[in-house]
Amino acid sequence: MTQLITTDLVELDQNLGHSPEEVIRHLAGKVAATGRAAEVEGLFNDAFAREQKTATGIPGGIAIPHCRSAAVNEPTLAMARLSTKVDFGAKDGPADLIFFIAAPEGADQAHLKLLSKLARSLIKKDFTAALRAAGSREEIVELVDGALADKPAASAAAPAAATSGTAATKRIVAVTACPTGIAHTYMAADSLVAAAKEMGVDLQVETQGSSGAKPLDPAVIAAADAVIFAVDVDVRGKERFAGKPLISAPVKRGIDEPTKMVEEALAAAANPNARRVVASGSGAGDESASSAGGEHIGQKLKKALLTGVSYMIPFVAGGGLLIALGFLLGGYLITDFADTIVTTNNLFNLPTEYPDNAVGPLGAYLGAVLFKIGALSMGFLVPALAGYIAYGIADRPGIAPGFVAGAVAGFTGAGFLGGIVGGLLAGYVAYVIGQWEVPRWLRGLMPVVIIPLLASIVASGLMFLVLGGPIAAITTGLNSWLSGMTGASAVVLGIILGLMMCFDLGGPVNKVAYSFAVAGLGTATLTNQAPWQIMAAVMAAGMVPPLAMALATTLDKKRFSVTEQENGKAAWLLGASFISEGAIPFAAADPLRVIPASMLGGAITGAITMAAGVGSKAPHGGIFVFFAIDNFLMFAVAIAIGTVVTALSVLALKRWAVKSRVDTVEQVPVTV
């Protein structure tokens, strides 16, 4: 096994700059100078992108910037003792001891365990004191090698010894996890264990890091009074903790405020109304709420809406493409013939009456079948949206009342907006009913009978009696207004849709614009093509960000890390397929440059498609559904112009705009 640190990787009492960016760049240069990294820029970009997601400063004047990078050839540790402290975001002030951990993307478990062990050693005051007192680089290397050879003070992956044998001893279990899984995961674990030990609490931790995880003993979990999740990513196997009082926070809080988190867990254990980890399917509560009172209503609403849209898209994508194929084979008037053809004809009795532009009698029959299947699939749009919005709020007990409320919304003409309202109603009613205290003999019936029945009555009843009519009137008015948009007003709409599609690349704003477009497809006709034009503007604008990032990485590779260059190659296909999320890796690493540039190109593309009257009868597929796009040439031209504008804007911003430091304590995941 190669040595992780050498004297060539140590800087003592030097001024390496006044910002984390300067320090990280210098240390990345040292790693590359020793031949342990292929290039400086790729390693720096990956490390600094990680730094921007979560600041790596920890109490005690220490910072541990770290990353996995394709630029790294072998696991490496560089260390600097600064003469001028630099603020890495720790609550107690700037840092003078900087440890830069650079791991290859495919680092082996042995090296990862050593790097994790070092990170855990840094919370020991005697170790950091020795580092500050060391008089030479050789002494620093000796101290680090000694820390790597010794066992950590407290094993976070194995059960800790109880501090007391009395029945009064409080027992807490915890899970720590961070995106990289090298440093913060293990430091948070040891900080929590140390704080609990001082308080006389038996706390045992499961570290879900890169060097592997040893699950807590089920008996230990069963005996625990509360659970702590100090995580920036999803907890694996969290159903094991179902029913336990929960304290949840970003992993860095486990390092900065371990005592407070233990105190909050003890308070939750004594509070019968404390938020608890929820068993899947119970429909009661939210296992991811924070210790400060849980997610606020806006976060819960966003999560539920995104859940509904993500489950709705397969119905829409498949159904829309089938309708487009039906038009291709059966002609655009197949809508008038489809019902008659599929009910009276078959492969051995082909229709004699069919649209003039159909591909013969066989084409007419197959077109009618495809169109009908697609139309039936599209019929699930609103019920699926509502059903899975309710699922996002109340888990499985919310699905049935959500689907029913969505069906009522479709029946009353409330459409897409009614589906959202019905899904929210069904979900929250199911959630409330799920909180009821019922006799043991009735609990088994709650999620499969009682909750769906009562929630369907309440939510669908309100849709029929109170909300359906007004929402239907709003929907009709909105559709009429959009259908009448021409000229300059249509161009403005294209700009707005383009901005929305590129604002968060698959996030809630993007999904609102996309859902708005697909919801209108069912109302389009040859005399009302506005919904097709809106769909084209949305799809074209959504293709721009990944295509632009692919072009930018081709035009000027040195502005991007090795990982981003590889992502750029994949982004060509993702963009061509209308998968906006292909640009997310670039936006996550450099949001202040990538997102504004993407919005500029998306707005231009949306404006051009609307001005040219481009229409799309397919809700997805990008260039691969060319047969369903009217005026495909202008569709392609609009995308090309937007792609070039965004790519050149990104490169200009990377060259001339100064990147500001972004310190956050939470990492927000993005779903495709």
Side-chain angles (χ1 to χ4, degrees):
M1 183 180 297
T2 57
Q3 191 174 8
L4 291 175
I5 186 170
T6 66
T7 54
D8 293 334
L9 294 165
V10 178
E11 289 274 20
L12 289 184
D13 306 318
Q14 299 293 316
N15 181 354
L16 302 186
H18 302 285
S19 69
E21 184 173 5
E22 293 175 286
V23 174
I24 292 173
R25 185 181 291 278
H26 181 90
L27 293 177
K30 290 193 75 68
V31 174
T34 62
R36 292 170 175 248
E39 58 161 332
V40 177
E41 282 301 309
L43 175 55
F44 164 73
N45 287 333
D46 289 336
F48 193 60
R50 172 65 183 86
E51 185 70 24
Q52 288 182 298
K53 292 175 183 175
T54 307
T56 57
I58 62 173
I62 303 167
I64 313 178
H66 57 279
C67 71
R68 289 173 180 254
S69 175
V72 178
N73 298 324
E74 58 183 285
T76 301
L77 175 68
M79 182 267 186
R81 191 172 68 196
L82 304 179
S83 59
T84 303
K85 294 185 176 183
V86 174
D87 184 5
F88 273 79
K91 290 190 175 181
D92 63 345
D96 63 333
L97 290 181
I98 314 298
F99 279 87
F100 178 44
I101 298 174
E105 286 188 338
D108 59 74
Q109 293 298 306
H111 276 117
L112 290 173
K113 288 181 179 179
L114 287 178
L115 293 173
S116 302
K117 185 183 293 186
L118 171 71
R120 299 167 78 167
S121 297
L122 290 174
I123 66 172
K124 301 176 184 177
K125 294 181 180 179
D126 55 346
F127 178 60
T128 55
L131 292 173
R132 289 190 170 94
S136 66
R137 296 179 179 180
E138 289 77 11
E139 191 174 348
I140 292 289
V141 172
E142 184 179 351
L143 285 168
V144 173
D145 286 342
L148 295 176
D150 293 336
K151 294 182 179 180
S155 176
T163 58
S164 170
T166 68
T169 300
K170 290 295 183 180
R171 294 177 172 84
I172 299 174
V173 292
V175 176
T176 60
C178 69
T180 308
I182 295 175
H184 287 71
T185 298
Y186 303 95
M187 297 176 72
D190 284 349
S191 296
L192 289 167
V193 168
K197 185 175 181 180
E198 290 181 2
M199 299 167 65
V201 175
D202 176 13
L203 187 146
Q204 302 183 34
V205 188
E206 177 180 314
T207 52
Q208 297 185 354
S210 295
S211 58
K214 181 179 179 181
L216 288 165
D217 189 320
V220 172
I221 298 175
D225 298 295
V227 60
I228 294 173
F229 289 164
V231 297
D232 287 336
V233 294
D234 285 341
V235 174
R236 299 195 293 269
K238 60 187 171 187
E239 66 277 358
R240 296 171 293 156
F241 306 93
K244 297 293 181 184
L246 171 66
I247 298 298
S248 180
V251 67
K252 198 166 184 294
R253 188 167 184 248
I255 303 172
D256 294 342
E257 300 177 347
T259 301
K260 286 186 178 180
M261 291 197 74
V262 174
E263 290 174 347
E264 291 168 0
L266 293 175
N271 181 5
N273 297 317
R275 190 170 297 274
R276 296 172 182 270
V277 184
V278 177
S280 177
S282 69
D286 182 359
E287 68 273 16
S288 62
S290 73
S291 58
E295 293 178 316
H296 60 67
I297 187 65
Q299 290 173 317
K300 292 180 179 179
L301 180 63
K302 181 182 77 171
K303 183 183 293 184
L305 290 174
L306 287 178
T307 300
V309 171
S310 66
Y311 279 100
M312 174 197 75
I313 286 176
F315 290 99
V316 177
L321 289 172
L322 287 168
I323 289 175
L325 289 171
F327 283 135
L328 178 66
L329 295 176
Y332 292 139
L333 294 177
I334 195 64
T335 53
D336 299 328
F337 293 81
D339 286 352
T340 301
I341 290 176
V342 296
T343 55
T344 61
N345 298 107
N346 55 53
L347 286 173
F348 304 101
N349 177 29
L350 296 176
T352 56
E353 294 186 11
Y354 50 84
D356 293 337
N357 55 349
V359 186
L362 179 60
Y365 176 70
L366 294 177
V369 170
L370 292 174
F371 175 85
K372 196 60 184 178
I373 295 173
L376 292 172
S377 177
M378 291 288 285
F380 286 101
L381 189 156
V382 175
L385 174 68
Y388 286 105
I389 286 176
Y391 168 75
I393 297 170
D395 213 297
R396 282 180 290 183
I399 292 179
F403 264 85
V404 174
V408 172
F411 179 79
T412 59
F416 169 64
L417 295 178
I420 293 177
V421 174
L424 292 174
L425 274 175
Y428 279 108
V429 172
Y431 173 82
V432 170
I433 297 173
Q435 305 297 304
W436 291 355
E437 291 293 336
V438 298
R440 182 185 297 271
W441 61 268
L442 191 56
R443 291 177 189 172
L445 293 176
M446 288 294 289
V448 295
V449 178
I450 306 300
I451 296 176
L453 173 63
L454 297 182
S456 295
I457 292 173
V458 174
S460 297
L462 286 173
M463 288 297 297
F464 264 124
L465 300 175
V466 180
L467 300 171
I471 296 175
I474 294 173
T475 301
T476 300
L478 182 62
N479 289 334
S480 299
W481 174 63
L482 291 173
S483 299
M485 294 188 77
T486 57
S489 60
V491 171
V492 171
L493 178 61
I495 293 173
I496 294 172
L497 292 172
L499 292 172
M500 293 177 70
M501 287 301 296
C502 300
F503 176 73
D504 52 2
L505 304 174
V509 176
N510 171 286
K511 289 295 189 287
V512 166
Y514 179 72
S515 300
F516 167 69
V518 297
L521 283 180
T523 66
T525 64
L526 290 177
T527 57
N528 173 27
Q529 299 188 16
W532 290 338
Q533 294 170 5
I534 291 170
M535 189 70 252
V538 164
M539 184 153 61
M543 294 167 65
V544 166
L547 289 174
M549 294 306 104
L551 178 60
T553 56
T554 302
L555 294 175
D556 194 352
K557 292 184 178 181
K558 67 178 180 293
R559 303 289 173 190
F560 300 90
S561 69
V562 174
T563 301
E564 287 176 325
Q565 292 173 29
E566 291 301 314
N567 287 336
K569 296 175 183 177
W572 286 114
L573 179 59
L574 294 174
S577 304
F578 179 39
I579 301 176
S580 303
E581 288 85 348
I584 285 178
F586 302 91
D590 196 358
L592 297 182
R593 291 165 173 163
V594 172
I595 291 178
S598 297
M599 292 174 68
L600 176 61
I604 292 172
T605 297
I608 293 174
T609 60
M610 291 297 285
V614 178
S616 174
K617 302 175 183 66
H620 215 290
I623 63 171
F624 300 104
V625 291
F626 61 91
F627 55 83
I629 297 175
D630 297 329
N631 200 351
F632 181 76
L633 176 61
M634 283 307 300
F635 180 77
V637 168
I639 294 170
I641 292 174
T643 296
V644 171
V645 168
T646 294
L648 295 180
S649 299
V650 165
L651 293 176
L653 289 171
K654 283 184 175 289
R655 181 173 182 179
W656 291 299
V658 178
K659 183 186 287 187
S660 301
R661 174 171 171 75
V662 180
D663 287 322
T664 59
V665 295
E666 293 191 56
Q667 180 179 353
V668 181
V670 190
T671 53
V672 176

